Amino acid sequence: MNYILLSLDYPDIFTADAELLDFVCIGDGYDTGIDGIGIKVNDRLVRNINEVSEITQVNKKINVEFVFIQSKMTTKFDTAEFNTFGTGVKNFFSDGYLTENIKIRQFREIKDFIYSDDKVISKLEKNPSIYLYYITTGVEPTDKNFQGNLKLLNKELTEVEYFFENVEVKVLGGKQFIKFCRELENKFQVQMNIIDIFPLIVDSKADVKKAYAFTCNASEFLKILKKEDGSLRRSLFNDNVRDYLGANGAVNSEIEKTITDSPEMFLLCNNGVTIVCTDFEQVRDKLVKIENPQIVNGCQTSNSIFNLKDTPNIEKAQLLVRLISTENLNISNKIVRGTNKQNQVLDEAFEATLPFHQESLEPFFIAFENITKIYYERRAKQYSNDPLIKKTQIVNLRILTQTFVAMFLNSPHDSHRHEAKLLEEYAGEKEKRRIFRDEHSPYPYYICALTWYLFEKYFREGKIDTKYITYKSHLYLIFKYSVSELQKRLTKSKDLDSYCDKLLNFLKEPQFENQIIKVLEVFDTTQRLWNQSKSPYGIKDNKEFTDLLIKQSHEYFIQNQITQNQISSNEQNNETIYQGAILRIIWNNERWFGYIRRGYQDKNVYFDNRAYKGDVTKLLPHTKVKFEMVNNEKPFAKNVELINFGDMR
């Protein structure tokens, strides 16, 4: 239920993002009668106050919505359970008199930040709105007692000190929920009365079924824009490169001003909208039927018409609509790019339509043979109609961008940011971009996708403790180093293919499970080292922690490999060289002695100033050393030497 209701406006919001779905599902002990919570800032589900701050920083105005969900797999609408749900929501907006589980407390932290941070408050375009959904599989109740409780809850939420802009308490039955499921697939058809229509001539070689242009009243166009409950069908704009920019912008304020003041001029002053659909039929002279429309250009116009749907002059405004019927994704992409390039839209907004994605990445993913098939979904719902493809096998632009930044750009501290910000930073000017470059091999991107898939699988199956989930981007980076080889240049080459082949080999069982043990050991060691002198908080987005992590990964995987090679060579000469890490150094007056830890199963090795001739101040805990050993019963080290990180450069 949480998945369906929170996906309606943005169908790909949970695509292969089990972490976000798990975050919004708060039903458990002490859930106060609530199954799901979503906090939307500018229509984006947020997970923490950092994401709220990020959205606030890059937008002139922000809108906030609170969504609460309770569902029951029964046909009965229970008044007591409904009231418990309402009480839980009211408690959320109070000082918290009921015991709440940790997930609700995380949402409470976000809510408190929104209502207390000066920057957030100053940018609120209007007061936040709140939506409650109570769902069962039965028929919506009509008895006065239940309806009375519903109205009472609505009134109580309207009167709380948070002063919501809009309060909606919706009780949904099975039929309505099925309609929501259909809407999620964006499979619907609409019939509209039009004014004039004429065909557009298209070359027969183009994979276009039909193309028309027609005019209609803006009020008639609302049949496409409105869902059955009267709300805006946001999924119409999934393929549009820009979301609605708000009514206060210069362009949109001018659109709305024309509708309200001079509706008869709207057709002449507005460029209209462009729609791509799967099929189109002229039922009769002035009646058309459109199946599965997507608005690829005209998001601002459409939202402005919807915002003014109740104004009298909406009946007088006319609109130009260009409609293209095609099922070819490449044709649709060209239309998206062509119709939007005439406006001031940043290239980053078109990222997934660029040749590298269409001509290199997507074909590589399709053709690559592996035990687990991974699919690159350039467009929302691209593989939704294939029952053989699991959602967990699908990666989208967001996943690929975030994982690549973490693994191959060595920046896990940045990778949690929204893909739009990452593309802005790493895929800006063509000559300076560091990701999705035309000369890049697609192989490392596939490795990123498969790495993401296997880590998500291990988290779902409990093979990796959920305490690491916050740092999974850091684990991706460590895993890359576990191949015991330095990263190659990302341009196409035999060296890069060989490097990726080695990573691919570790992305198979049982090798992957063995590597995970090493990866977690490196992360734990790095975290312990960090906590000895630094704050344990905020390390996820701290570049210094990443630098330490890279250093430890080098030492563990790459320098150890060289040392092991040296050991093998020495063993051929009947010399045994061991390696370990400094446990501690103990001073006794002006003399010192210490211990080296070889491993958890081996005895610690004693040594002193006779065995080490270097600078003793460099013998810090966890420092890697190599040595020879005397007397295995009471181990004593000799010829102790540092394994220098600098030797690897």
Side-chain angles (χ1 to χ4, degrees), residues 541-593:
D541 52 2
N542 192 315
K543 185 180 183 300
E544 289 186 32
F545 180 75
T546 297
D547 292 340
L548 181 61
L549 197 68
I550 291 173
K551 179 177 184 295
Q552 291 300 120
S553 298
H554 265 282
E555 293 181 355
Y556 189 97
F557 294 111
I558 300 178
Q559 292 180 211
N560 277 1
Q561 182 66 34
I562 289 179
T563 303
Q564 291 294 339
N565 292 340
Q566 291 173 342
I567 290 172
S568 298
S569 175
N570 289 332
E571 284 177 343
Q572 292 176 7
N573 296 320
N574 296 321
E575 294 180 4
T576 302
I577 306 296
Y578 298 90
Q579 64 171 328
I582 299 297
L583 184 62
R584 60 181 177 274
I585 299 296
I586 302 169
W587 285 87
N588 184 7
N589 294 324
E590 295 183 358
R591 301 181 62 128
W592 61 267
F593 63 92

Side-chain angles (χ1 to χ4, degrees), residues 2 28 31 42 50 87 134 136 154 227 250 255 282 315 323 348 365 374 422 489 595 601 607 627:
N2 297 330
D28 202 350
D31 58 21
N42 282 13
N50 289 336
T87 300
Y134 183 80
T136 78
N154 199 311
K227 294 192 289 188
I255 292 174
Q282 191 170 357
E315 297 286 346
L323 189 140
E348 287 83 351
F365 274 71
I374 302 294
L422 293 176
R489 289 176 59 86
Y595 292 91
Q601 302 298 322
F607 77 112
F627 56 93

Side-chain angles (χ1 to χ4, degrees), residues 58 94 98 136 147 187 206 251-252 269 288 355 359 371 373 445 459 478 480 484 535 565 571 600:
V58 299
S94 71
L98 303 178
T136 78
Q147 291 298 320
K187 291 183 177 179
V251 174
N252 293 337
C269 297
V288 298
E359 300 169 10
I371 297 172
K373 190 72 175 176
Y445 294 89
F459 277 119
I478 301 172
K480 181 190 74 172
S484 299
S535 169
N565 292 340
E571 284 177 343
Y600 294 105

Side-chain angles (χ1 to χ4, degrees), residues 152-325:
L152 180 61
L153 175 59
N154 199 311
K155 183 176 185 294
E156 289 174 338
L157 290 172
T158 303
E159 295 175 348
V160 297
E161 61 181 295
Y162 286 92
F163 305 109
F164 296 115
E165 179 74 18
N166 188 36
V167 176
E168 290 189 23
V169 183
K170 298 185 179 182
V171 177
L172 307 175
K175 287 185 178 179
Q176 184 61 48
F177 189 72
I178 291 173
K179 290 180 181 178
F180 282 166
C181 292
R182 289 173 180 165
E183 283 186 8
L184 181 59
E185 295 299 321
N186 204 36
K187 291 183 177 179
F188 73 100
Q189 63 181 31
V190 61
Q191 291 191 3
M192 296 172 52
N193 292 302
I194 60 174
I195 300 171
D196 294 301
I197 184 170
F198 55 89
L200 301 175
I201 299 174
V202 181
D203 193 305
S204 59
K205 295 180 181 179
D207 194 2
V208 173
K209 293 180 182 178
K210 306 167 188 175
Y212 287 87
F214 63 81
T215 57
C216 65
N217 289 326
S219 57
E220 195 70 14
F221 188 66
L222 286 168
K223 290 181 178 179
I224 291 181
L225 301 179
K226 288 169 61 175
K227 294 192 289 188
E228 288 193 10
D229 63 358
S231 61
L232 178 64
R233 194 187 298 274
R234 297 184 191 274
S235 58
L236 284 167
F237 311 105
N238 289 334
D239 291 339
N240 208 283
V241 297
R242 291 186 298 187
D243 204 348
Y244 180 52
L245 302 177
N248 293 332
V251 174
N252 293 337
S253 61
E254 187 67 26
I255 292 174
E256 297 194 8
K257 187 175 187 297
T258 304
I259 293 175
T260 55
D261 296 350
S262 309
E264 67 281 354
M265 295 295 294
F266 190 73
L267 182 62
L268 300 177
C269 297
N270 187 270
N271 290 329
V273 302
T274 302
I275 293 176
V276 173
C277 66
T278 57
D279 203 3
F280 169 83
E281 178 184 351
Q282 191 170 357
V283 180
R284 55 177 183 268
D285 188 31
K286 302 295 183 180
L287 182 67
V288 298
K289 181 173 71 174
I290 306 171
E291 292 187 3
N292 309 323
Q294 275 284 307
I295 296 175
V296 298
N297 183 252
C299 179
Q300 312 309 313
T301 296
S302 300
N303 276 268
S304 296
I305 290 173
F306 182 82
N307 290 342
L308 297 176
K309 62 184 181 298
D310 297 323
T311 60
N313 280 352
I314 198 72
E315 297 286 346
K316 301 177 183 178
Q318 293 182 11
L319 179 71
L320 174 66
V321 178
R322 286 178 296 275
L323 189 140
I324 298 95
S325 174

